[in-house]
Amino acid sequence: MKFSTKLRELRKLKGFTQEELAEILSVSFQTVSKWENDVSMPDVGLLPVIAECFGVSIDELLDYNSAQRKNEKKEIAKEVHEKINAGNMKEAYDFLNEKIERYSSDVKLNHLLAAITYKLAQESDGEDKVSYLQKAIQRAETTIKLDNGNAPQSAQAKMCIGYCLRELGLKEQAEEVAQNMPSMFSSRE
């Protein structure tokens, strides 16, 4: 549920008019109207005050449920793997590419999208191949940034970048990436 819808719902549940809520929050009623019409959002500093006014947590106010998001991400990954196993790599790519907007900070989904994009590049040629390779590099770089360069996804993302660079004909850059890879003997990954 959008914040605008949630705010309107909570306001009506409490029996407040927009003017009454505006007065409580020390803002104009036009500001409350903009929030409810999804034209703007309140300043982050006001969120605790708004939540307290309605007797809800900020998570509830923003309709954020971490357990639900975790389950949604698992379901997305499951569906992507089902599409891949059925031989529908492009369909898996399109599906995940659409979903990644909502979960853009998820390391595993970014890593999965980098891997799928690289696989599509291998199955393509010409401009499509180059485009997929560049997109795979971008997703792999995002994975590394989100992962702080530490976990197994980072090592695999670095390998993906190296392979993409090699296929783009950038051998020296690919070798540099390979030189900076963790040693297999010193890593438990």
Side-chain angles (χ1 to χ4, degrees), residues 34-48:
K34 286 179 182 179
W35 296 343
E36 289 188 0
N37 288 303
D38 207 22
V39 174
S40 66
M41 290 284 289
D43 183 83
V44 72
L46 267 179
L47 292 177

Side-chain angles (χ1 to χ4, degrees), residues 13 17 25 46 49 57 64 80 91 94 105 134 140 147 172:
L13 223 96
T17 64
L25 300 174
L46 267 179
V49 178
S57 69
Y64 180 81
V80 166
E91 193 177 316
D94 290 339
S105 64
Q134 291 169 339
D147 205 27
E172 288 176 12

Side-chain angles (χ1 to χ4, degrees), residues 118 144 154-164 177 181 184:
Y118 175 66
I144 294 165
S154 287
Q156 293 169 357
K158 288 174 186 174
M159 287 174 46
C160 179
I161 291 170
Y163 292 143
C164 290
V177 169
M181 291 290 300
M184 294 295 286

